[in-house]
Amino acid sequence: MDYFSESIKKAIRTVPDWPKPGVAFRDITTVLQDRTAFRKLIDAFVHRYHGQDIAAVAAVDARGFIIGSALAYELNASLVLIRKKGKLPFDTLVEDYELEYGTASVELHKDAFKPGDKVVLVDDLIATGGTMLAATRLIRRIGAEIVEVAAMIDLPDLGGSRKLQEEGLQVYTVCSFDGE
């Protein structure tokens, strides 16, 4: 792990037993409140995708919007919001996915991309991968090309990044919490 990744990881607050006993919640608000850490975070993504002719940054509801908006601005790319079902006002595509106890849905405007657009999909973290996998299916249904799936944090013990890679997706995360 490089210096920037380590400093961002150190800025993330871990809240034990929240929202339920046994869960170590990774709180990104401390990174956002630390202007140096936040700049390093956005710079890590910008440097990774600069010069790759990214047409759009697709950001997952809701914390992905924070990273996605800054990244889209810096890359001079459009920002596309992938929202929870019922939050977008125009014609949408919907994708359902499994949760631990049931299902959920995400949606995307049908006209969010042009076929062949190069897209980076971002969220704050990758846990089980369900939301990100559903988002990739939406993007692919429109015909856009997913350059990479990116997040600030990977929780590899939950298997999400592995599932994304098994779907043929490139995955980038700034830091990970493996068994910690």
Side-chain angles (χ1 to χ4, degrees), residues 1-67:
M1 187 179 299
D2 65 22
Y3 165 75
F4 290 112
S5 296
E6 189 61 37
S7 66
I8 292 165
K9 184 174 180 175
K10 286 180 181 176
I12 296 166
R13 175 175 34 213
T14 299
V15 180
D17 298 320
W18 196 86
K20 61 183 185 178
V23 174
F25 184 80
R26 306 306 176 172
D27 180 10
I28 69 163
T29 62
T30 50
V31 174
L32 305 176
Q33 292 164 354
D34 179 331
R35 63 183 172 193
T36 301
F38 185 51
R39 177 166 294 281
K40 286 178 183 178
L41 172 68
I42 298 305
D43 285 351
F45 289 112
V46 170
H47 290 289
R48 184 160 183 92
Y49 302 113
H50 182 74
Q52 292 192 35
D53 194 30
I54 302 298
V57 174
V60 178
D61 200 339
R63 292 182 300 260
F65 297 172
I66 299 163
I67 299 166

Side-chain angles (χ1 to χ4, degrees), residues 106-179:
V106 289
E107 64 183 356
L108 172 69
H109 279 136
K110 289 180 179 179
D111 62 355
F113 307 108
K114 295 179 191 89
D117 277 354
K118 292 172 73 174
V119 177
V120 174
L121 174 62
V122 297
D123 203 353
D124 63 326
L125 64 82
I126 299 172
T128 62
T131 307
M132 293 287 256
L133 284 167
T136 63
R137 289 191 291 270
L138 287 171
I139 294 166
R140 287 175 167 168
R141 281 168 57 190
I142 293 177
E145 173 194 342
I146 301 167
V147 173
E148 201 160 54
V149 175
M152 180 190 325
I153 302 167
D154 184 20
L155 302 176
D157 290 347
L158 299 178
S161 53
R162 179 186 42 76
K163 289 177 191 171
L164 290 161
Q165 291 166 343
E166 288 171 355
E167 290 293 320
L169 296 157
Q170 296 294 315
V171 177
Y172 170 71
T173 56
V174 175
C175 60
S176 68
F177 291 85
D178 192 5

